[in-house]
Amino acid sequence: MHYEEQLVRMLRQQEQIMQDLSLVRELQLPDSYIGAGYIRNYIWDELHGYARRELHSDIDVVYYDAGNLSEERDIQLEHRLRAATGNHKWSVKNQARMHLRNGDAPYHSTEDALRYWPERVTAIAVQLDAQDHISICAPYGLEDLYTLVVRKSPSFKDAAYYNKRVLQKNWQEHWPKLTIVCA
């Protein structure tokens, strides 16, 4: 089975993720996805044979709208999602603005922004379209996710930050089958 098919199948089995994808779809944000640890950690738990443990610190909603860079809009969307679900972990970020915080050249899309995330295995996001199809945005593919490898994204420049981040995250304590590749 291809990794993409496997990811879609696994996500469809997780009712909460499907509800969250549907909720984000209702926001009708351009080029929007749920990604990062919310998706990654669920797959890692599955591959380790663990029950879902909710070890993610947030539910990252990413979108791309160069026409409205207001941070206030993201905050309002977070409040809306939190009120709708009772879950305080929602985080919404317009990727058209995030290059400023990260010191990169402007991003051109959500997928382009994901290329600059610290780890390849974190640069994975999914969306639910109007026909209930799950679309995957993974500029580095899904192989690292399914082979349990953590490595720095090629476009992420700060190797020292990456090394410190993966050490502080202590992922191998939670998922001992992981292989961490230092930068």
Side-chain angles (χ1 to χ4, degrees), residues 63-66 68-69 73-74 92-98:
Y63 69 101
Y64 189 88
D65 186 357
N68 183 350
L69 301 178
R73 177 186 186 192
D74 292 352
V92 179
K93 298 287 185 284
N94 182 354
Q95 300 302 292
R97 172 180 90 247
M98 297 310 292

Side-chain angles (χ1 to χ4, degrees), residues 30-50:
D31 201 18
S32 63
Y33 298 84
I34 293 178
Y38 186 57
I39 303 301
R40 182 201 61 222
N41 294 1
Y42 167 65
I43 300 303
W44 282 353
D45 276 352
E46 287 288 314
L47 295 174
H48 278 77
Y50 301 148

Side-chain angles (χ1 to χ4, degrees), residues 25 36-37 62 77 81 88 95 114 129 135 146:
R25 176 181 60 191
V62 293
L77 290 165
L81 290 165
H88 70 283
Q95 300 302 292
L114 266 62
D129 71 16
S135 298
Y146 282 95

Side-chain angles (χ1 to χ4, degrees), residues 122-165:
T122 301
I124 296 170
V126 295
Q127 67 178 201
L128 191 64
D129 71 16
Q131 292 76 37
D132 285 336
H133 296 111
I134 294 175
S135 298
I136 301 167
C137 180
Y140 300 112
L142 299 175
E143 184 174 352
D144 284 359
L145 179 64
Y146 282 95
T147 59
L148 299 166
V149 174
V150 177
R151 72 181 92 225
K152 186 178 80 59
S153 296
S155 297
F156 189 77
K157 297 173 186 83
D158 192 342
Y161 175 85
Y162 161 82
N163 288 331
K164 181 179 177 183
R165 175 179 155 85

Side-chain angles (χ1 to χ4, degrees), residues 68-86:
N68 183 350
L69 301 178
S70 166
E71 189 172 355
E72 182 59 35
R73 177 186 186 192
D74 292 352
I75 294 168
Q76 290 172 350
L77 290 165
E78 286 175 5
H79 290 305
R80 183 173 164 184
L81 290 165
R82 291 171 183 169
T85 63

Side-chain angles (χ1 to χ4, degrees), residues 2-84:
H2 295 286
Y3 292 134
E4 293 82 5
E5 294 167 353
Q6 190 173 359
L7 179 59
V8 168
R9 182 183 52 75
M10 292 171 84
L11 292 174
R12 287 207 178 278
Q13 293 173 355
Q14 183 47 245
E15 183 178 340
Q16 185 62 56
I17 289 175
M18 294 304 297
Q19 289 174 0
D20 291 341
L21 286 170
S22 180
L23 188 59
V24 169
R25 176 181 60 191
E26 291 172 16
L27 297 175
Q28 297 182 351
L29 296 168
D31 201 18
S32 63
Y33 298 84
I34 293 178
Y38 186 57
I39 303 301
R40 182 201 61 222
N41 294 1
Y42 167 65
I43 300 303
W44 282 353
D45 276 352
E46 287 288 314
L47 295 174
H48 278 77
Y50 301 148
R52 185 143 190 247
R53 301 179 297 167
E54 302 287 336
L55 293 179
H56 56 278
S57 58
D58 47 24
I59 302 171
D60 289 294
V61 176
V62 293
Y63 69 101
Y64 189 88
D65 186 357
N68 183 350
L69 301 178
S70 166
E71 189 172 355
E72 182 59 35
R73 177 186 186 192
D74 292 352
I75 294 168
Q76 290 172 350
L77 290 165
E78 286 175 5
H79 290 305
R80 183 173 164 184
L81 290 165
R82 291 171 183 169

